Amino acid sequence: MRATIIHAARDIRLEEVDDLVLAAGLGEGGEPASGRDAIVRVVAACVCGSDLWPYRGVTETKEPRAIGHEFVGVVEQIGSAVTGVAVGDFVIAPFYDCDMTCTNCRNGVSPSCLDGNWWGRPDREGFPTGGAQAERVRVPHADGSLVVVPGPVDEALVPHLLALSDVMGTGHHAAVSAGVGPGSTVAVVGDGAVGLCAVIAAKRLGAERIVMMSRHPDRQALARRFGATDVVEQRGEEGVAAVKALFDDIGPDAVLECVGTAESMEQAILSARPGGMVGYVGVPHGGAELPIRTLFGTNVGVNGGVAPVRNYVEELLPDVLSGAIEPGLVFDLELPLSEVAEAYAAMDERRATKVLLRP
Amino acid sequence: MRATIIHAARDIRLEEVDDLVLAAGLGEGGEPASGRDAIVRVVAACVCGSDLWPYRGVTETKEPRAIGHEFVGVVEQIGSAVTGVAVGDFVIAPFYDCDMTCTNCRNGVSPSCLDGNWWGRPDREGFPTGGAQAERVRVPHADGSLVVVPGPVDEALVPHLLALSDVMGTGHHAAVSAGVGPGSTVAVVGDGAVGLCAVIAAKRLGAERIVMMSRHPDRQALARRFGATDVVEQRGEEGVAAVKALFDDIGPDAVLECVGTAESMEQAILSARPGGMVGYVGVPHGGAELPIRTLFGTNVGVNGGVAPVRNYVEELLPDVLSGAIEPGLVFDLELPLSEVAEAYAAMDERRATKVLLRP
């Protein structure tokens, strides 16, 4: 099978690798996990903003590794203990593996699954899983990780379903973490795919005013289509002032931080009204910690983290199936998997917001 | 009148100062604020844990200043525009002045009042207010800041009413900020007056299990009387492990940070379960900021700040009047105002949890 391997910064290659197989085929050590896994043929995958950190060398790639963590696909094989997923099912996978039965999963925090892990790494029992920018993935806890989409699945729905693998659920997590609800006033920092999905989420949860911070006309237009009521192009102190000016110089109830840099987090914290909340989902990069004195003095809270997108699929899927939300519109470029290196380059150079890949 | 003046670290003196008068008596510049103020005779005041920071020299005292910010008293004079408070009323004041009409006050964040300030400093129009460890205080926005206790007021209730000026509302804010509700599991970091009141608050909001972190037998006993179900004496890594062990090594839903040091905040953040929340009210001291990578990876949120105790008085007062909660039990020493220096020393040396002062 073919899989995407990152060798070093800006060195992304699609390579021929060993086929992934059910753990049961790997010997006695495979039990009992071997019976709970599945092999999924990838129908669509994509490149994440967080994939750009190793691509740009911001995080080090110490040795070649499989990359990619967002996918939808069709189940090809299942282990003997799998009951919730059948061969031929169209499934959505979250950007991590989880069992959905442990305390953390039941508490709504499936990325902290006691028996879970990240795609591309061996599972907890040492069996390979594979990255998602590939032809196949091995899913350790198929009944936990995978959600079956009732079929047949319309081809036009694929991008929207794929968004539930990460960006839509992540934008939703920013909004939920910030307590967005009916009547909320919201600002979104970050006009990438997650920020755009955060606009969808805020609108869906009933926000009455949504400010998108963006300098890109195409992303501004998509944000408005998703429900943004205002756009602010300034950044830094000017950006804070411009956002606050829209709310009587007090600020919005919630700010959704969808980037992960020190600058974007500062922007978010300073833009929120006293007593407001920052919901953050951007993977933190850079050395800055959270400024406790500023937060203390203004009663601005900070909540969020690695989005538990698996916990959100059941809530969001009906709105995707009905067409009420269209998060797949964040994909503005589609390429065959063979052009995965170009997909990274296009996102790195901001020629594309988010690239969908077809094996 | 007599008022407490801090001159430098460990130099606290009760001194004779000019009587405070209504701003209307200070000339034309006094209008219109002059009409909205009141002079309150202090019936009881106290020393706050945060007063110990300048007392210990952790924060610098650049020049002598009036100190004290918690008091209950009887209204002696009112300005011409005051309508909600009458001469002779027994009133509770929050630890700051606020108008309760601005956007921030209406948003529930009265310490960020657009027209408010701190006791001891001149108000926004430059008129003196006075500190609370004194015989009288001038209250700039009497209708906003003061809450009338329906009289006559039983002498035995005075300590409990005084607690609404700061510590009870502050403990409540920690619990509210952490989202404590029916069935919550809670740990409290800090066994001072605020931490003990946080136990009352958590119990009152329906927490089913409350762990108090404390090494002092008398404070442990009071915490248990207030509703703590468990006590953990260890600190640091051992303390984190001991708290988590009470919750299947996962941790409690909410941790209430009521100290303000880097160590106590770290203790709180590491003790919470994945997806849990830290409610913090300890005034931050020390250089440490909040560790965003730890928070991001565990989805632990941090929420709190300067407690909006004025916003909470109406909710908490009925439970004080009925005897349902007894926050005044945190006062374990009562002294005449003339012994205010001894009050500071007793708290500094941990001979007392919190000292009530009678002018």
Side-chain angles (χ1 to χ4, degrees):
Chain A
M1 57 171 265
R2 296 178 306 159
T4 303
I5 308 293
I6 182 167
H7 288 259
R10 299 185 194 280
D11 185 359
I12 293 279
R13 308 177 204 168
L14 187 67
E15 299 185 351
E16 194 65 32
V17 301
D18 288 344
D19 277 347
L20 288 163
V21 297
L22 292 173
L26 296 171
E28 288 182 40
E31 297 291 348
S34 60
R36 294 186 285 145
D37 56 356
I39 302 295
V40 175
R41 176 175 58 82
V42 176
V43 170
C46 49
V47 182
C48 182
S50 68
D51 291 332
L52 295 181
W53 296 116
Y55 182 79
R56 291 170 172 162
V58 176
T59 54
E60 188 185 1
T61 300
K62 293 178 182 170
E63 55 187 27
R65 65 179 174 87
I67 192 168
H69 52 258
E70 298 152 279
F71 66 103
V72 294
V74 173
V75 177
E76 283 194 337
Q77 302 175 54
I78 58 172
S80 59
V82 172
T83 58
V85 176
V87 171
D89 282 346
F90 189 101
V91 291
I92 301 166
F95 62 82
Y96 49 85
D97 168 54
C98 58
D99 64 18
M100 290 300 280
T101 58
C102 76
T103 303
N104 288 334
C105 283
R106 285 184 280 112
N107 278 339
V109 202
S110 51
S112 294
C113 176
L114 297 174
D115 201 24
N117 216 331
W118 309 105
W119 302 121
R121 296 187 195 175
D123 67 17
R124 298 266 178 150
E125 277 127 341
F127 298 108
T129 57
Q133 292 158 6
E135 289 182 315
R136 285 178 187 75
V137 178
R138 178 181 159 267
V139 179
H141 305 91
D143 286 342
S145 297
L146 302 176
V147 178
V148 176
V149 180
V153 172
D154 189 325
E155 173 61 27
L157 272 179
V158 168
H160 306 302
L161 296 169
L162 177 59
L164 295 179
S165 181
D166 187 341
V167 289
M168 183 61 224
T170 298
H172 182 67
H173 189 52
V176 169
S177 298
V180 173
S184 292
T185 55
V186 178
V188 178
V189 178
D191 63 358
V194 172
L196 290 163
C197 286
V199 173
I200 297 176
K203 172 79 173 173
R204 183 180 169 279
L205 291 166
E208 81 174 21
R209 195 162 182 189
I210 303 169
V211 182
M212 170 53 94
M213 306 198 70
S214 172
R215 296 174 161 186
H216 301 82
D218 50 343
R219 300 183 186 199
Q220 292 174 2
L222 190 52
R224 288 192 185 275
R225 175 167 174 177
F226 285 162
T229 54
D230 303 84
V231 169
V232 163
E233 296 200 342
Q234 298 96 315
R235 293 187 184 179
E237 285 182 25
E238 285 183 10
V240 170
V243 170
K244 286 196 174 265
L246 295 171
F247 302 95
D248 298 329
D249 290 330
I250 299 291
D253 303 324
V255 184
L256 313 186
E257 195 289 317
C258 304
V259 182
T261 62
E263 294 74 20
S264 60
M265 182 55 92
E266 182 181 23
Q267 176 82 55
I269 288 171
L270 296 179
S271 296
R273 70 161 172 81
M277 185 68 86
V278 172
Y280 77 114
V281 291
V283 182
H285 279 80
E289 303 290 18
L290 295 172
I292 190 169
R293 280 162 199 73
T294 300
L295 295 168
F296 185 86
T298 57
N299 269 286
V300 170
V302 175
N303 193 25
V306 186
V309 298
R310 173 60 189 85
N311 297 87
Y312 295 139
V313 175
E314 282 87 349
E315 176 181 348
L316 298 173
L317 180 57
D319 281 4
V320 165
L321 294 176
S322 73
I325 61 174
E326 299 179 294
L329 293 175
V330 300
F331 296 105
D332 52 357
L333 179 61
E334 181 175 325
L335 292 172
L337 183 59
S338 58
E339 293 182 36
V340 62
E342 163 58 14
Y344 276 76
M347 281 181 61
D348 176 48
E349 295 160 18
R350 295 182 78 91
R351 289 183 278 117
T353 302
K354 196 166 177 73
V355 185
L356 187 145
L357 295 166
R358 297 271 188 176
Chain B
M1 56 172 262
R2 296 177 306 159
T4 302
I5 308 294
I6 182 167
H7 288 258
R10 300 185 192 279
D11 185 359
I12 292 279
R13 308 178 204 168
L14 187 68
E15 298 184 352
E16 194 65 32
V17 300
D18 290 344
D19 278 346
L20 287 163
V21 296
L22 291 174
L26 295 171
E28 289 183 38
E31 297 291 347
S34 60
R36 294 186 285 146
D37 56 356
I39 302 295
V40 175
R41 175 176 58 81
V42 175
V43 170
C46 49
V47 182
C48 181
S50 67
D51 291 333
L52 295 181
W53 296 114
Y55 181 78
R56 290 170 172 163
V58 176
T59 54
E60 189 185 0
T61 299
K62 293 177 182 170
E63 56 187 25
R65 64 178 175 86
I67 192 167
H69 52 259
E70 298 151 281
F71 67 102
V72 293
V74 172
V75 177
E76 283 195 337
Q77 302 174 55
I78 58 172
S80 57
V82 172
T83 59
V85 176
V87 171
D89 281 346
F90 189 100
V91 291
I92 301 166
F95 62 83
Y96 50 84
D97 167 54
C98 58
D99 65 17
M100 290 301 280
T101 57
C102 76
T103 303
N104 288 335
C105 282
R106 285 184 280 113
N107 278 338
V109 202
S110 50
S112 294
C113 176
L114 297 173
D115 201 26
N117 215 332
W118 309 107
W119 301 122
R121 295 187 195 176
D123 67 18
R124 297 268 177 147
E125 278 128 340
F127 298 108
T129 57
Q133 292 157 8
E135 290 183 315
R136 283 177 188 77
V137 178
R138 178 183 158 267
V139 180
H141 304 92
D143 287 342
S145 297
L146 301 176
V147 178
V148 176
V149 180
V153 172
D154 188 325
E155 173 61 27
L157 273 179
V158 168
H160 307 302
L161 296 170
L162 177 59
L164 295 178
S165 180
D166 187 341
V167 288
M168 182 60 223
T170 297
H172 182 67
H173 189 53
V176 169
S177 298
V180 173
S184 292
T185 54
V186 178
V188 178
V189 179
D191 62 359
V194 171
L196 291 163
C197 286
V199 173
I200 297 177
K203 172 78 173 176
R204 182 180 170 279
L205 290 166
E208 82 174 20
R209 195 161 182 189
I210 304 168
V211 182
M212 170 53 95
M213 304 197 72
S214 171
R215 296 176 162 184
H216 301 83
D218 50 344
R219 299 182 186 200
Q220 292 174 2
L222 190 51
R224 287 191 184 276
R225 175 168 174 178
F226 285 161
T229 54
D230 303 85
V231 168
V232 163
E233 296 200 343
Q234 298 96 316
R235 294 186 183 179
E237 286 182 25
E238 284 184 10
V240 171
V243 169
K244 286 197 173 262
L246 295 172
F247 302 94
D248 298 329
D249 289 328
I250 299 290
D253 302 323
V255 185
L256 313 185
E257 196 287 317
C258 304
V259 182
T261 63
E263 294 75 18
S264 61
M265 182 56 90
E266 182 181 23
Q267 177 83 55
I269 288 171
L270 296 180
S271 296
R273 69 161 172 82
M277 185 69 87
V278 172
Y280 76 113
V281 292
V283 182
H285 279 81
E289 302 291 17
L290 295 171
I292 189 169
R293 280 162 199 74
T294 300
L295 295 168
F296 185 85
T298 56
N299 269 287
V300 170
V302 175
N303 193 25
V306 186
V309 297
R310 172 62 188 84
N311 297 86
Y312 295 139
V313 175
E314 282 86 349
E315 177 181 347
L316 299 173
L317 180 57
D319 281 4
V320 165
L321 295 175
S322 74
I325 61 174
E326 300 179 293
L329 293 175
V330 300
F331 296 105
D332 52 356
L333 179 61
E334 182 174 325
L335 292 173
L337 183 59
S338 57
E339 293 181 37
V340 62
E342 162 59 14
Y344 275 77
M347 282 181 62
D348 176 47
E349 295 160 19
R350 294 182 77 91
R351 287 183 278 117
T353 302
K354 196 166 176 72
V355 185
L356 187 146
L357 295 166
R358 297 272 189 177

